[in-house]
Amino acid sequence: MPQDLPLQARTWLAEDPDPDTRAELAALMKAEDWDELRSRFAGTLQFGTAGLRGELGAGPLRMNRSVVIRAAAGLAAHLNSDPATAGGLVVIGYDARHKSADFARDTAAVMTGAGLRAAVLPRPLPTPVLAFAIRHLGAVAGVEVTASHNPPRDNGYKVYLGDGSQIVPPADAAIAARIAEVGPLPGVLRPTEGWTVLGEDVLDAYLARTDAVLAPGSPRTARVVYSAMHGVGRDTLLAAFARAGFPTPVQVAEQAEPDPEFPTVAFPNPEEPGAMDLSFATARRTAAEGTPADLIIANDPDADRCAVAVPTPEADGGWRMLRGDEVGALLAAHLTDRPTEPVPGTEAGTAPHPPVFAESIVSSSLLARIAAAAGVRHEETLTGFKWIARVEGLRYGYEEALGYCVDPDGVRDKDGITAALLVAELASVLKGKGRTLLDLLDDLAVAHGLHATDQLSFRVADLAVIENAMRRLRAHPPTELAGLRVTRAEDLSRGTDRLPPTDGLRYTLDGEFTARVIVRPSGTEPKLKCYLELVLPVPTPQDLPAIRAQARTHLTTLKSAFTQAAGL
């Protein structure tokens, strides 16, 4: 036991404003559970471009009110250090996770005590509503208390600046430095009143804005089964669908109510195995009752992501979950069917600038081909909407992890509500022609080649496993994977001519077909992620089934080869 560990724990206990974590810490000290205490006091939860995210509990390496108060005080000091933001409005939103309302209230109190104006959303609402409110209300910053799709034991603290997009360097480091300067907690002013609790008008304004993503007079006939995944998206999505004139979605009843325990799923992420099982069961039941659904749509718990599944007799259970890259391509194709819109801010009388489609580097290269065919500029960014949202002239952005920005002037972030509306509109348009989303995916494969993507995720208990794998790959980069030559190996930590440095590796492969492999540590979870893409030409539509089967085989082989190369 380090000699100062009991002193650290006693000091923390004396300052902790939360009776729950005080009792938890006191019990650990009484039991002399030094291993557990050491895991909580071996450092501090680091503030970065994802803000804060971690397991709930007492101590500086957990998410708790003490950590949040310090983070809020550091953010307030950062804002007050700039005359352009000093004393400005900070909007605060929160989800339905454990302690989220407490963290939001503490943040409002700290902002008020620091001389800033604070406004809290009226109840747990989707993250896109907070991102919208920042721009709508002219705030200098925003905070969303959410851990998105992390396990139930986690919570997080996401920071936006005044343009409505998430923080990027160097703002993250500047805020972290201010957090480090915060002294003893009793010295942080936290009045018990003085902030505003916003009314329903801010949600009404967001819902009015959702109309902008749909084409006037477009068909609205798609029947949807919807899961809120125990999160906060349900009421907002149902209201948006009602405004737009779609049939009322059939809810997955077991997952409709917010529940911080997420009792029906191992992880509250639509991408995780089993998370969509209840959605598929609900869709099969509605079909048996004579009202088959055209789509399944699911949000993650804070409703900034959108998952889509489609009926097909070829899938077990009759439904297939679309990959994020497939939905990203479908939405891009749908948007390119519309007239080119000038970039906002273009001066009257000048030629309109073409819109920009943007994606993160780990997303499918199919978007670039769709954009080129439509005469739309294409940009690639680092992973995360904090980068995608900053692309000048952005009309549409997506990343493969089910994130889509379809109205960047309204929400400069991924938005699972407006994405769901646009997917339902596209399904309705195709339905009117006797076609489906799968038919459109076939069209894109024939036109641009089959872009088959997959992902490997290694969840670890010890972050050293990730560090060792990245070190091994850097020291011994593969020259061949699954029979394909590695024609280019890039260490993205050095940056490229188009991208700033990031912790990742990218391999370009060539042989019987072309392929790409990208590996990087997750920024929000203890995972190492590997993104795979194959591009196979499709000579005729009749060749497509055989080529899809080939792609599945090649992806399986490539997964195995990379796992071995990484020593995992």
Side-chain angles (χ1 to χ4, degrees), residues 380-447:
E380 207 175 48
T381 76
L382 296 182
T383 306
F385 268 84
K386 56 185 174 284
W387 299 107
I388 294 172
R390 283 180 158 76
V391 171
E392 187 176 353
L394 182 67
R395 171 62 184 89
Y396 167 66
Y398 98 94
E399 63 180 4
E400 55 75 41
L402 309 184
Y404 315 96
C405 176
V406 301
D407 178 26
D409 295 332
V411 175
R412 206 168 283 272
D413 197 2
K414 56 186 177 292
D415 183 346
I417 305 297
T418 51
L421 286 172
L422 201 62
V423 169
E425 180 188 51
L426 173 57
S428 299
V429 170
L430 293 168
K431 184 178 180 181
K433 300 175 181 178
R435 307 185 78 233
T436 68
L437 296 180
L438 293 178
D439 293 328
L440 181 53
L441 283 174
D442 287 350
D443 293 347
L444 294 172
V446 172

Side-chain angles (χ1 to χ4, degrees), residues 33 71 82 200 276 325 347 454 463 557:
D33 190 343
D82 185 345
E200 294 298 312
M276 296 289 286
D325 283 320
E347 295 181 8
D454 207 345
L463 291 177
T557 304

Side-chain angles (χ1 to χ4, degrees), residues 446 537-541 543 547:
V446 172
V538 181
T540 71
D543 296 315
I547 291 172

Side-chain angles (χ1 to χ4, degrees), residues 222-262:
R223 291 193 295 266
V224 171
V225 165
Y226 172 69
S227 173
M229 206 66 67
H230 298 297
V232 298
R234 179 193 61 184
D235 293 347
T236 304
L237 182 134
L238 293 179
F241 269 62
R243 284 181 62 96
F246 285 101
T248 302
V250 175
Q251 297 181 57
V252 178
E254 301 91 334
Q255 298 175 338
E257 294 291 335
D259 188 332
E261 291 299 320
F262 306 105

